[in-house]
Amino acid sequence: MREDELFEKYGWMAERLKGVLSPVRYRHSLGVAFTSASLAMRYRTDVEKAFLAGLLHDAAKYMPNGEYLEKAAEFGLTVSDSERLSPGLLHPRIGAVLAEKEYGVTDPDVLAAIASHTTGRAGMSLLEEIVCIADYIEPLRPSLPLIDELRELAFTDIDKAVFLYAKRQIEFLKSSGRPVIDERTAETYQYYGKKTGLLEES
Ligand SMILES: [Fe+2]
Ligand SMILES: [Fe+2]
């Protein structure tokens, strides 16, 4: 596809995102799009799907907490205890619905990758893993814990990167005193811990 055709195809989406997201969130979305595309090159999977999923992954991340719960009800999404306590956790699944309704995305692989970022899930597709990790490691992220390790690991062993990411998320949730640890994050931790053999060592 030619560069101007690509711009036609995705330029309006970027403009629309720019209109709803904060400037920081918009720039982060571009960072995740390009990082996802880079990881897709590394793992020889669909670069365009990775770019699109990365671009739109935070399409819903502009709502106040109450609106996440309203949208979840409107879209018929189940809401777990941890999501009720931290409604922001709903932004990936609400974002997948918005990607379809407002941005016309129909590709189920792309929608799944938007829906599972943040928490991951057991048995993610490669595309889901890519967007989940790209969200954490994109170049504009401030220096988050384990960022250097995760940036390297993402390009050498993405399963290990997902495990380490989930482990760090759980440690963060525990240290911030959350009464309920998000069950999807816990599943991601268990699944990738077993898959990589790192669970026993950690
Ligand atoms: Fe997000
Ligand atoms: Fe994000």
Side-chain angles (χ1 to χ4, degrees):
M1 188 178 292
R2 283 169 37 188
E3 184 203 336
D4 54 345
E5 286 176 299
L6 263 182
F7 189 80
E8 280 280 292
K9 204 167 167 192
Y10 301 119
W12 71 271
M13 293 186 186
E15 284 303 314
R16 186 174 186 140
L17 283 173
K18 199 175 187 179
V20 293
L21 302 179
S22 71
V24 169
R25 181 69 46 195
Y26 172 68
R27 290 193 290 269
H28 161 72
S29 299
L30 295 181
V32 176
F34 286 110
T35 304
S36 297
S38 305
L39 285 166
M41 291 173 198
R42 157 66 181 88
Y43 292 104
R44 297 184 181 220
T45 190
D46 194 307
V47 174
E48 203 179 323
K49 284 189 189 195
F51 180 87
L52 178 58
L55 181 67
L56 294 179
H57 82 288
D58 273 346
K61 202 156 183 184
Y62 61 88
M63 300 178 186
N65 280 344
E67 198 174 339
Y68 285 125
L69 294 169
E70 281 168 26
K71 287 282 177 203
E74 183 187 330
F75 297 155
L77 303 175
T78 55
V79 178
S80 68
D81 289 345
S82 56
E83 287 166 340
R84 204 162 290 287
L85 287 165
S86 307
L89 282 172
L90 288 161
H91 84 268
R93 289 193 293 139
I94 292 172
V97 178
L98 295 187
E100 192 171 9
K101 283 184 188 294
E102 296 184 355
Y103 295 83
V105 176
T106 52
D107 188 318
D109 300 338
V110 172
L111 296 175
I114 296 170
S116 63
H117 89 273
T118 305
T119 61
R121 65 176 181 89
M124 286 189 283
S125 69
L126 178 58
L127 188 67
E128 289 176 274
E129 293 170 357
I130 283 173
V131 176
C132 182
I133 290 300
D135 187 25
Y136 197 84
I137 67 167
E138 63 95 0
L140 299 177
R141 279 290 200 195
S143 47
L144 295 169
L146 298 173
I147 189 91
D148 294 334
E149 290 92 325
L150 277 167
R151 281 180 172 154
E152 184 177 351
L153 210 45
F155 286 89
T156 51
D157 189 330
I158 198 158
D159 285 337
K160 285 185 181 168
V162 172
F163 172 71
L164 195 61
Y165 166 77
K167 184 168 180 260
R168 130 88 197 153
Q169 293 297 83
I170 288 172
E171 281 163 6
F172 170 75
L173 291 172
K174 282 184 180 161
S175 70
S176 63
R178 302 288 162 101
V180 183
I181 297 298
D182 176 69
E183 54 281 357
R184 281 199 194 85
T185 307
E187 279 171 27
T188 306
Y189 173 75
Q190 289 292 330
Y191 179 90
Y192 284 91
K194 284 189 190 120
K195 190 175 181 189
T196 58
L198 289 174
L199 197 53
E200 300 76 43
E201 297 166 25
S202 65

